[in-house]
């Protein structure tokens, strides 16, 4: 049994702070080819998970602490929906259907529980959407 407590979270948060990307995962799965990927995603302010999609996989984010903006986009890069997930907002997570463009912006030091179907696949070369300014 792996216990999700302050010791685990604080250790991963410290790694995220030292990472050039300002984020760090702690995987509960052991192999990239497993059918279900469950992990903590620790994010620090200033990090943005680029807009991408998973053509065949849904993805779920549940906030454990902090504040993150999650947005979905159309094929032209225009925002379709946006919400802030946090304990304070009482919006605790989102489920992103397969093939939906989405990105995450860390608004304060945050920890997400993330779950999606495996196996791990690098984002497709055509999977990154250019956002219109």
């Amino acid at each position: 049994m792996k216990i999700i407590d302050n010791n685990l979270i604080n250790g991963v948060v410290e790694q995220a702070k030292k990472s050039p990307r300002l984020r760090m995962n702690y995987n509960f799965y052991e192999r990239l080819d497993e059918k279900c990927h469950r992990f903590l995603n620790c994010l620090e302010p200033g990090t943005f998970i680029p807009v991408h999609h998973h053509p065949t996989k849904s993805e779920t984010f549940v906030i454990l602490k902090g504040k993150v903006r999650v947005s979905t986009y159309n094929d032209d890069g225009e925002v379709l929906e946006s919400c802030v997930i946090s304990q304070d907002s009482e919006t605790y997570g989102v489920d992103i259907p397969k093939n939906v463009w989405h990105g995450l912006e860390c608004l304060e030091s945050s920890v997400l529980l993330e779950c999606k179907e495996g196996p791990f696949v690098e984002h497709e070369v055509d999977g990154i959407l250019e956002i219109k300014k």
Side-chain angles (χ1 to χ4, degrees), residues 31-82:
R31 296 180 328 275
L32 293 177
D33 65 346
E34 288 187 28
K35 292 183 180 185
C36 183
H37 288 196
R38 302 141 353 262
F39 53 97
L40 297 179
N41 197 342
C42 296
L43 311 166
E44 288 299 307
T47 192
F48 180 75
I49 297 176
V51 177
H52 64 286
H53 68 152
H54 306 282
T56 61
K57 302 174 185 187
S58 299
E59 190 167 23
T60 301
F61 302 98
V62 176
I63 195 89
L64 299 180
K65 63 190 296 189
K67 187 182 293 185
V68 173
R69 179 180 311 284
V70 182
S71 300
T72 60
Y73 302 83
N74 65 18
D75 289 340
D76 294 324
E78 299 165 336
V79 174
L80 294 174
E81 285 185 279
S82 187

Side-chain angles (χ1 to χ4, degrees), residues 4 7 13 15 17 26 33-34 47 68 80 86-87 94-95 101 105 108 113 116 122 129 131-132:
I4 303 169
N7 288 330
V13 166
Q15 292 176 35
K17 288 178 181 179
Y26 179 89
D33 65 346
E34 288 187 28
T47 192
V68 173
L80 294 174
S86 71
Q87 298 294 314
V94 296
D95 186 66
W101 295 104
E105 176 187 6
E108 62 184 48
L113 178 63
K116 62 185 161 194
E122 287 282 348
L129 181 66
I131 301 301
K132 293 183 177 184

